[in-house]
Amino acid sequence: MTALWILPALPLAGAALLLLGGRATDRWGHLLGTAMSTLAFVFAVVLFVDMLGTPAEDRAVSDTLFSWIPVGELQVDFGFRLDQLSMCFVLLITGVGTLIHVYAVGYMAEDPDRRRFFAYLNLFLAAMLLLVTADNFLGLYVGWEGVGLASYLLIGFWQFKPSAATAAKKAFIVNRVGDIGLMVALMIMFTTFGSVSFADVFAGSDAASNGTLTALGFVLLLAACGKSAQVPLQSWLGDAMEGPTPVSALIHAATMVTAGVYLIVRSGPIFESAPAAQTAVVIVGGVTLLFGAIIGCAKDDIKKALAASTMSQIGYMFLAAGLGPAGYTFAIMLLLTHGFFKAGLFLGAGSIMHGMNDEVDMRKFGALRTAMPITFVTFGLGYLAIIGIPPFSGFFAKDKIIEVAFGAGGLHGTVLGIVTLLGAGLTAFYMTRVMLMTFFGDARWEPEAHPHESPPVMTAPMIVLAVGSVAAGALLTLGGSLTHWLEPVVGEADEAHVIPAWVVTVLALGVVAAGVTLAYARYARKPIPSAAPQSVSVFTTAARVDLYGDALNEAALMRPGQRLTRATARFDDAAISGATQAVGAGVSTLSSRIRNVQTGYVRSYALTMLAGTAVLVAMMVAVMVW
């Protein structure tokens, strides 16, 4: 348990070997990348078993490697911490990450740069593992930036496509906005607590002023919004689908978007001491929950529909995390189950693309259940899990969040409960729409399409994830296993049942049934046109363009930023460069005037020197006489 550094070191070593080895590693690079991810998962399982055999109060362990920043009052060690919370993320990252690596062996088989792709995948895992195992906020920040770099490299992997290059830059820039929040948070921590370690910051939060903690909470929330694609920093997520499908699965299920949830839950003591910031987390989660679900209802691109779904599901997690100890466990429960069914859904989408000549428009699918039976079954199980049908995994996690939302009490709780129920209904609608347009109805394939099932190297990970989609929720709920597991880290929650649990379940299932019914009436009982109708409601128009998220960013940030840049350039030309040029012109003028006293005749210079010597001698004589 003291060799925690091995966890990120394994995939990091894989990335280094593949990138530095160059073309010499092309033939076996994908195998090395997968092996390193697998070894990390095996080591994580060993650590988990060891942790299970340790008393609950002694399960958190630390591993300090060296003194990292010994500068004056700032003393930061480079160390790792593994507790019950970080263990959940470590198992998810390495487990689902390894399945995605295996899947990518088949998916990227024909790509000439497959070795480089696996190097980036390994780098992604290493950065995320560092993020969740660091024992201080500065180490977390290094992993945070590593995740941003890896996502940029993977989203823009096919950089010869202008759309992929643009999407990568967009993700990078939007995340930099969020990263400023974490950078400012580090400054506040050092100024206030004199340290950036988790232990010191959390211990000092009781004595810090409310204003300081509120500011700290808000900048941490800004950082979390960037990584987890929450409003107002959500615009990059849909465009991130330009990367190869294994990247989409890794970003949406096991790594990047879960980082924000981890930051909020890990920083729980800060938010619990800053009610305004904690309320902001709930509001952001609730808004994004509906925001993503509405967008998902209008997307014909299967990957973008799933991307909007991720935005919405992470919104559920933020909302639960914002409710404090009562919601932390259920936020993590949904995160873990979401890792299974969302990874399965994305890999299923990749399998469909593999069999349909990379087509992503669901209007050109239909009747694929017979041509791709394994993909149909595994995707279908993920579908049942995400809409919350019992006994699939999403039911156990999402229903608990709805229950906790109502449990907040008063008007506040009622509003949150209604929001979560509405989100469940919208999820059922858009996911049923995806199922019907893809696997049912008449075949709407292009003439050159010849759908076929994917090879075993791709279907095997999908089957494993489908099993997790079925069983993970029950396993995590059984006997309150996850609740008891996380209690030493997130605290014990007081259960408040404003509405009985069975009533919440009935309400949720009723709303889900309504969503399924509406989708069935619209997409199963009517023919689906091959092109999206142009005459639609204003709401559909808005959802198709992501509820004008890009337009808002352009109006509020990009255009003013361009004007500020131009004004700064003009100020630089007029003031900075102008002053520099004025000094140069003055020196040049003065030099020209001084040059006029030089004749170029040696006799003139000799006479001047003689006159100067005579003056000096006269002065010396005068001084001596005086």
Side-chain angles (χ1 to χ4, degrees):
M1 289 288 282
T2 58
L4 303 180
W5 59 270
I6 295 176
L7 275 172
L10 285 168
L12 183 61
L17 287 171
L18 294 177
L19 291 174
L20 297 176
R23 291 294 181 185
T25 63
D26 276 356
R27 288 188 301 171
W28 44 267
H30 56 290
L31 300 178
L32 176 65
T34 304
M36 287 301 187
S37 178
T38 305
L39 286 174
F41 175 62
V42 171
F43 186 60
V45 172
V46 171
L47 294 175
F48 176 61
V49 173
D50 190 28
M51 186 176 282
L52 284 175
T54 306
E57 62 275 10
D58 298 325
R59 284 174 175 166
V61 292
S62 298
D63 180 15
T64 300
L65 296 187
F66 53 85
S67 180
W68 185 15
I69 305 178
V71 180
E73 296 181 5
L74 181 61
Q75 301 289 321
V76 183
D77 292 331
F78 193 92
F80 297 89
R81 174 184 174 85
L82 190 66
D83 56 22
Q84 292 89 327
L85 176 61
S86 52
M87 178 58 79
C88 290
F89 282 83
V90 165
L91 290 173
L92 174 69
I93 295 162
T94 57
V96 175
T98 297
L99 292 173
I100 293 171
H101 274 70
V102 174
Y103 176 94
V105 170
Y107 190 87
M108 302 293 289
E110 304 301 324
D111 196 294
D113 289 321
R114 180 168 64 168
R115 179 262 315 165
R116 181 166 57 89
F117 180 77
F118 275 83
Y120 294 162
L121 287 184
N122 271 199
L123 180 62
F124 212 151
L125 291 193
M128 191 66 191
L129 287 170
L130 174 59
L131 191 159
V132 300
T133 58
D135 68 351
N136 61 77
F137 282 97
L138 188 58
L140 183 151
Y141 181 74
V142 174
W144 194 270
E145 292 300 314
V147 167
L149 171 63
S151 66
Y152 169 76
L153 296 172
L154 285 167
I155 293 169
F157 182 75
W158 288 326
Q159 54 193 308
F160 55 85
K161 296 167 55 180
S163 56
T166 301
K169 288 187 289 185
K170 184 176 183 180
F172 191 82
I173 292 170
V174 173
N175 272 274
R176 294 293 73 71
V177 175
D179 293 351
I180 291 173
L182 188 52
M183 188 186 304
V184 173
L186 289 169
M187 298 175 187
I188 295 175
M189 290 173 191
F190 174 60
T191 302
T192 306
F193 309 110
S195 173
V196 293
S197 72
F198 294 150
D200 293 340
V201 171
F202 298 154
S205 60
D206 291 336
S209 68
N210 182 261
T212 298
L213 292 174
T214 299
L216 184 56
F218 272 107
V219 291
L220 287 173
L221 175 58
L222 177 65
C225 285
K227 278 290 180 287
S228 291
Q230 298 292 283
V231 173
L233 299 179
Q234 81 293 341
S235 62
W236 66 270
L237 194 62
D239 297 272
M241 298 304 97
E242 290 292 339
T245 299
V247 176
S248 305
L250 197 61
I251 288 176
H252 287 255
T255 56
M256 189 164 177
V257 296
T258 65
V261 181
Y262 173 78
L263 181 63
I264 297 294
V265 176
R266 176 61 76 188
S267 306
I270 295 173
F271 287 97
E272 290 163 32
S273 301
Q278 194 172 38
T279 300
V281 175
V282 175
I283 293 172
V284 166
V287 170
T288 310
L289 186 166
L290 297 178
F291 198 95
I294 292 170
I295 292 173
C297 293
K299 292 297 183 183
D300 293 331
D301 183 321
I302 187 170
K303 288 178 66 177
K304 289 193 175 184
L306 294 177
S309 168
T310 297
M311 190 190 308
S312 179
Q313 297 300 304
I314 299 294
Y316 268 107
M317 300 172 207
F318 265 61
L319 188 149
L323 294 173
Y328 290 150
T329 297
F330 305 120
I332 299 302
M333 184 185 296
L334 181 56
L335 184 146
L336 295 175
T337 56
H338 179 265
F340 285 101
F341 59 69
K342 185 51 63 70
L345 290 170
F346 266 110
L347 296 189
S351 179
I352 293 166
M353 293 170 60
H354 183 269
M356 293 288 288
N357 296 329
D358 288 331
E359 182 60 68
V360 294
D361 188 349
M362 294 185 293
R363 294 185 180 276
K364 298 177 181 178
F365 292 165
L368 289 179
R369 67 186 185 281
T370 55
M372 309 179 71
I374 298 177
T375 300
F376 167 62
V377 172
T378 55
F379 196 98
L381 293 174
Y383 155 73
L384 293 172
I386 193 173
I387 69 174
I389 298 296
F392 298 92
S393 60
F395 164 77
F396 295 96
K398 196 176 296 183
D399 267 33
K400 281 295 184 180
I401 292 179
I402 296 173
E403 185 180 335
V404 170
F406 276 112
L411 179 61
H412 176 68
T414 302
V415 171
L416 293 180
I418 292 172
V419 167
T420 53
L421 281 175
L422 182 57
L426 289 170
T427 302
F429 176 84
Y430 69 71
M431 285 306 303
T432 302
R433 176 179 180 267
V434 169
M435 283 295 295
L436 294 174
M437 293 180 69
T438 302
F439 295 104
F440 294 90
D442 298 327
R444 302 180 299 277
W445 315 330
E446 295 289 344
E448 63 273 12
H450 301 285
H452 56 277
E453 190 57 88
S454 298
V457 71
M458 294 173 62
T459 56
M462 292 159 56
I463 293 171
V464 175
L465 291 169
V467 172
S469 298
V470 175
L475 290 174
L476 293 172
T477 309
L478 188 63
S481 54
L482 185 64
T483 300
H484 296 316
W485 174 261
L486 290 174
E487 268 182 8
V489 181
V490 302
E492 185 176 352
D494 295 327
E495 295 189 13
H497 296 288
V498 175
I499 299 178
W502 68 268
V503 174
V504 171
T505 298
V506 170
L507 286 173
L509 291 177
V511 170
V512 167
V516 171
T517 302
L518 286 173
Y520 182 82
R522 184 162 183 176
Y523 296 99
R525 307 183 75 175
K526 299 178 182 179
I528 297 174
S530 58
Q534 297 302 309
S535 178
V536 293
S537 68
V538 64
F539 299 105
T540 302
T541 301
R544 285 179 179 176
V545 293
D546 301 338
L547 297 182
Y548 302 105
D550 284 336
L552 178 61
N553 287 339
E554 182 175 340
L557 299 174
M558 192 188 82
R559 298 302 179 194
Q562 288 178 332
R563 288 194 289 269
L564 177 61
T565 302
R566 287 193 291 267
T568 303
R570 286 195 296 270
F571 174 77
D572 180 75
D573 290 339
I576 309 300
S577 298
T580 304
Q581 292 169 0
V583 171
V587 172
S588 177
T589 302
L590 180 61
S591 300
S592 300
R593 297 293 175 85
I594 293 176
R595 277 201 305 270
N596 292 332
V597 303
Q598 305 213 10
T599 64
Y601 295 110
V602 175
R603 59 180 179 271
S604 298
Y605 298 153
L607 181 60
T608 303
M609 292 172 64
L610 178 60
T613 302
V615 171
L616 288 175
V617 171
M619 290 176 62
M620 292 175 63
V621 171
V623 169
M624 292 174 64
V625 172
W626 180 261

